[in-house]
Amino acid sequence: MTIAEVSKMFGLTADTLRYYERIGLIPPVRRSNSGIRDYDESACNWVGFIKCMRGVGIPVEMLIEYVALFRQGNSTISARKALLTEQRQQLADKIIEMQSVLERLDTKIAGYEASCLKFEEENLR
């Protein structure tokens, strides 16, 4: 696939894809004989993985480290697992915190709804 096709597929700009490759966020993408990036299924899987991880706020630096470890081979499996496990725990903690904020907002909104209903009832008399 061309960079334009991958860009459209994942909702990322071509500049972003080139940047991700340049900083090591995704492994180098295979090039055609004319030097044009040719994204295969593996490269697209990397783009999807990185987009997903960035979408929930996982730091670029951690992902670069993960990709570098991956490229070193199977001897880094435990280190990669440790990185992902740490990020998973941080994300789980963040979800708990966000759930608490959501509940607080729901309580606040319910209070406003009750106030509005009371106001409307008083003004309809």
Side-chain angles (χ1 to χ4, degrees):
M1 297 179 87
T2 66
I3 197 166
E5 292 169 324
V6 174
S7 174
K8 185 176 180 180
M9 177 188 292
F10 291 101
L12 299 167
T13 66
D15 285 340
T16 297
L17 291 170
R18 286 189 285 272
Y19 172 71
Y20 281 0
E21 185 180 354
R22 187 173 62 251
I23 67 169
L25 205 50
I26 60 174
V29 176
R30 186 171 42 97
R31 305 278 183 133
S32 68
N33 290 338
S34 57
I36 296 179
R37 286 174 177 83
D38 183 18
Y39 289 79
D40 59 10
E41 184 178 351
S42 175
C44 287
N45 288 340
W46 275 107
V47 172
F49 173 72
I50 295 302
K51 182 176 181 188
C52 177
M53 297 298 108
R54 290 295 300 135
V56 295
I58 294 181
V60 168
E61 297 78 15
M62 192 291 297
L63 292 168
I64 291 170
E65 182 179 355
Y66 178 84
V67 173
L69 287 168
F70 179 85
R71 294 184 69 206
Q72 292 175 31
N74 288 341
S75 64
T76 66
I77 287 175
S78 61
R80 285 182 273 156
K81 180 184 174 196
L83 281 175
L84 295 178
T85 301
E86 177 185 343
Q87 291 305 309
R88 186 198 182 285
Q89 185 58 56
Q90 289 178 17
L91 185 57
D93 293 344
K94 187 174 183 179
I95 289 170
I96 291 167
E97 180 182 341
M98 292 175 77
Q99 186 62 42
S100 175
V101 171
L102 184 60
E103 289 168 7
R104 189 169 185 176
L105 285 171
D106 286 344
T107 300
K108 195 73 163 168
I109 291 166
Y112 282 119
E113 288 173 349
S115 294
C116 289
L117 184 58
K118 183 178 176 185
F119 179 77
E120 288 173 4
E121 288 173 356
E122 289 174 357
N123 287 323
L124 290 176
R125 292 185 200 169

